Amino acid sequence: MIPKTMSTQHPDNAKMPSWASGKNIISNEDEIEEAYIAYKHIGIQEVMWDAEGKDVDTHVIRKLFSKDREFFDKNVLGKDIFLTYRVPNPLIEGAERKILNETLNSIPLNYDVATRMYDRDIAPVFEVILPFTTDYRSMLNVVKFYEKGIVDTENIKLYEDVRMMDITGKVMPEKINLIPLIEDRDSIFNIESIIGKYSEIMKPSYMRIFIARSDPAMNYGMIPATLLSKYAVSGMYRISEKTGMELYPIIGAGSSPFRGNLGPDTIKRSLAEYDSYYTFSVQSAFRYDYDETSVKDAVSMINAHKPVIPNLFNDDQEIIIKHIIDLYSSRFQKIVEGISRPINDITTYLPKRRTRKLHTGLFGYSRSTGSARLPRAIAFVGALYSMGIPPEILGASVLAELPEKYHALLSENYKNMYFDLRSSARYFNYDSLKYMIDIWKIDTEIIKMIREDVRYIENNIGVSTDSSYSVEKHNIFSTLLLLAFKNKKFDEVGKYAYEMALLRKFVG
């Protein structure tokens, strides 16, 4: 069985779940309870256990079993439900590289725990997700490290005829599956080569490929990120056709339109948008900012979803897609670099929802030409919404430059584009532009570009006529937040940021 729903630990929720031990933070220990609830009460088939940027609990399987022996007797981990590690990429996250060793070494430990529990051989953890995958070698690094640095150590001779295996027992499973998480434009454009080369060497019977939606949006804009997700799944289908290997695409989307618009109230649209994807991330805002019935119903819909064959792009269409992405990202990056200071300042006052180490990096990754230092995607989105500048609108006026056949390709492959832009633009607050000049002295050219983007949407796409109480209240709060920041009333800044997150049902 390949799971269709994946619970993740993204800290994008505004509301706190009732079972959390703290008032504001879901602690590392809480995440055991969170995983159990995801399986038993929500119906999610897989939990991503994140070892990136945190102190990972490698005894998760034993702790889960101790919570409800009867449930896990009937729902076998590794067969009926799944737990999948996300490990640090040692080539990108140098300070975290020893955590890779620690995490991979826990896989045989968890195997032993599950084998005793079920009284038969069972691997409760046998797949790992590798973030920032940019080439096949980074994938080989992890699977070969597991095979040679962990499994093969059982044959190390300690003395005389005593081997490591005699002390610690046989190391199982003997192999693990690698799920590449592909997050940048160049790697998605090169996906056929990356996956093709890896499969040629390792010859897996199947592969799951994880495509990010948040970081591409943050680096290139919402529309390029959506196009990249379609380009990726088109390339995956071609690999499958060429090699005969089954591929199961995963989309890592969040509740905000900018990060994929995957939430309980948009679930039908989301499944139509990403109809060729097999597995969908179910992030924290999805689970905690909506009523329980809506969440369960949406999860059931995903679990019943049957992927369809994607649009397969020909050479001319690929050229058009790349041209749109280049044009759009150029404008988007210029604007974001121009307003990076207010984004970073407001980020400080957003509600924090997880025990995590700080993640900051160069805009567009250090490999890009971007120079602005920015927070991670959730905080990036939350800061812009809090200022009354929804990030979805940034770069939109580029659409005016595109010829008709470009628009036709866009409409066919980004089905919800107009819906996403209209619904996001409701949260734009013209007062924010005045305050950005007043407080941060933002360049007038950047302000002009933002105005052009908003006016393009107003004149050509339209803004949703939903003038609900919550939307109007959100816009008032964004003005009050900027006024409070200007007057150094920072406690009030945090209060308004939290209230706005509750209204829109996501932090970022």
Side-chain angles (χ1 to χ4, degrees):
M1 172 188 168
I2 306 294
K4 290 186 176 180
T5 41
M6 177 192 286
S7 173
T8 75
Q9 298 167 348
H10 289 82
D12 61 343
N13 53 302
K15 287 183 180 179
M16 284 290 291
S18 59
W19 44 260
S21 59
K23 183 180 178 182
N24 299 314
I25 296 287
I26 298 174
S27 69
N28 290 347
E29 194 62 33
D30 286 333
E31 288 171 348
I32 301 289
E33 178 74 11
E34 179 178 43
Y36 169 64
I37 289 171
Y39 294 131
K40 183 171 182 177
H41 297 292
I42 305 179
I44 292 172
Q45 297 172 342
E46 178 178 27
V47 168
M48 183 175 79
W49 197 249
D50 200 347
E52 185 193 18
K54 59 178 278 198
D55 296 321
V56 64
D57 189 340
T58 55
H59 298 282
V60 53
I61 301 299
R62 179 182 285 122
K63 291 181 178 181
L64 282 172
F65 287 161
S66 69
K67 293 197 73 66
D68 191 336
R69 177 69 180 260
E70 184 179 354
F71 173 78
F72 288 106
D73 272 338
K74 295 177 180 177
N75 299 271
V76 178
L77 265 168
K79 179 176 177 289
D80 305 314
I81 53 178
F82 302 86
L83 187 137
T84 304
Y85 286 151
R86 181 167 83 161
V87 298
N89 187 324
L91 299 182
I92 304 294
E93 303 160 282
E96 305 282 300
R97 63 177 62 183
K98 296 297 191 298
I99 294 176
L100 174 69
N101 184 21
E102 176 189 3
T103 307
L104 294 182
N105 264 293
S106 75
I107 292 177
L109 168 65
N110 287 316
Y111 180 95
D112 291 347
V113 170
T115 297
R116 287 195 298 270
M117 162 81 171
Y118 294 118
D119 196 26
R120 60 189 169 102
D121 290 339
I122 188 79
V125 181
F126 57 88
E127 293 185 318
V128 298
I129 299 165
L130 180 68
F132 305 113
T133 298
T134 58
D135 60 35
Y136 75 94
R137 290 180 181 275
S138 63
M139 300 162 68
L140 288 176
N141 288 345
V142 175
V143 294
K144 290 298 184 183
F145 178 85
Y146 180 80
E147 290 175 17
K148 298 182 180 297
I150 296 174
V151 176
D152 285 357
T153 59
E154 67 182 19
N155 294 312
I156 292 176
K157 186 175 180 180
L158 299 179
Y159 64 95
E160 297 176 355
D161 59 350
V162 177
R163 294 178 298 165
M164 286 275 285
M165 187 193 308
D166 299 320
I167 308 300
T168 61
K170 187 166 179 59
V171 179
M172 295 290 287
E174 294 180 341
K175 297 181 182 297
I176 56 172
N177 296 339
L178 194 288
I179 302 173
L181 173 51
I182 303 179
E183 308 182 53
D184 69 293
R185 172 179 55 191
D186 292 344
S187 298
I188 288 175
F189 287 156
N190 198 34
I191 190 169
E192 291 184 57
S193 173
I194 294 171
I195 303 306
K197 187 67 175 176
Y198 177 81
S199 66
E200 181 184 320
I201 294 170
M202 294 302 300
K203 296 179 173 52
S205 58
Y206 73 93
M207 283 190 70
R208 303 173 71 197
I209 316 293
F210 203 147
I211 301 300
R213 253 303 268 104
S214 295
D215 281 342
M218 181 175 162
N219 285 293
Y220 318 118
M222 179 181 72
I223 291 174
T226 308
L227 288 178
L228 284 168
S229 72
K230 306 303 175 75
Y231 190 103
V233 81
S234 172
M236 281 186 245
Y237 187 82
R238 280 198 291 264
I239 297 168
S240 184
E241 287 285 280
K242 185 185 300 183
T243 64
M245 178 176 62
E246 290 291 334
L247 292 181
Y248 298 91
I250 307 169
I251 186 71
S255 292
S256 65
F258 190 75
R259 297 179 54 241
N261 217 357
L262 179 62
D265 59 354
T266 56
I267 190 62
K268 291 181 180 178
R269 287 183 176 274
S270 301
L271 290 175
E273 188 68 72
Y274 301 105
D275 56 0
S276 300
Y277 278 83
Y278 193 92
T279 305
F280 293 74
S281 64
V282 182
Q283 300 186 5
S284 302
F286 187 120
R287 303 195 302 274
Y288 308 137
D289 287 315
Y290 296 85
D291 67 90
E292 187 176 338
T293 300
S294 298
V295 173
K296 288 181 178 180
D297 288 347
V299 167
S300 294
M301 288 182 67
I302 301 173
N303 285 337
H305 171 68
K306 294 182 179 179
V308 302
I309 295 173
N311 286 341
L312 302 178
F313 301 125
N314 59 37
D315 291 345
D316 289 341
Q317 290 171 326
E318 289 189 359
I319 290 170
I320 290 173
I321 287 171
K322 290 177 179 180
H323 189 216
I324 293 172
I325 290 171
D326 287 346
L327 278 176
Y328 204 107
S329 61
S330 177
R331 181 181 181 90
F332 176 83
Q333 289 178 357
K334 184 174 182 179
I335 294 172
V336 170
E337 288 177 359
I339 59 175
S340 60
R341 187 178 164 205
I343 291 171
N344 284 312
D345 284 351
I346 299 302
T347 294
T348 307
Y349 303 98
L350 297 173
K352 307 298 187 291
R353 291 300 184 236
R354 299 272 173 172
T355 305
R356 290 291 185 271
K357 298 171 186 176
L358 184 63
H359 281 283
T360 56
L362 291 177
F363 177 55
Y365 302 123
S366 58
R367 296 182 297 278
S368 173
T369 56
S371 59
R373 194 166 184 81
L374 293 167
R376 292 293 291 266
I378 291 167
F380 172 84
V381 174
L384 283 166
Y385 264 100
S386 298
M387 290 188 288
I389 303 177
E392 294 85 352
I393 69 172
L394 300 180
S397 61
V398 162
L399 298 176
E401 304 174 27
L402 304 180
E404 185 58 38
K405 69 175 181 178
Y406 283 37
H407 280 279
L409 187 65
L410 258 178
S411 298
E412 182 183 359
N413 290 284
Y414 187 173
K415 301 165 189 175
N416 294 321
M417 181 174 71
Y418 290 161
F419 173 82
D420 290 348
L421 288 171
R422 285 191 194 104
S423 56
S424 304
R426 296 176 298 167
Y427 293 98
F428 180 76
N429 181 0
Y430 274 101
D431 286 347
S432 63
L433 301 181
K434 175 186 69 176
Y435 279 104
M436 289 177 73
I437 295 171
D438 193 16
I439 300 170
W440 291 283
K441 312 299 185 223
I442 299 301
D443 191 284
T444 54
E445 182 188 357
I446 299 298
I447 299 298
K448 179 185 175 186
M449 292 174 75
I450 297 173
R451 280 202 181 99
E452 288 170 351
D453 290 338
V454 175
R455 284 175 180 157
Y456 176 83
I457 295 171
E458 290 174 342
N459 296 334
N460 298 276
I461 298 171
V463 177
S464 175
T465 56
D466 173 12
S467 56
S468 67
Y469 173 71
S470 63
V471 172
E472 291 190 12
K473 190 176 180 181
H474 189 285
N475 291 338
I476 291 169
F477 277 151
S478 65
T479 298
L480 290 172
L481 178 145
L482 292 167
L483 179 63
F485 190 93
K486 178 182 177 181
N487 289 279
K488 296 182 171 55
K489 306 290 185 182
F490 298 122
D491 287 345
E492 293 183 27
V493 173
K495 181 183 74 173
Y496 293 133
Y498 170 63
E499 291 294 337
M500 281 186 277
L502 289 176
L503 289 170
R504 54 179 193 267
K505 298 184 178 180
F506 58 80
V507 170

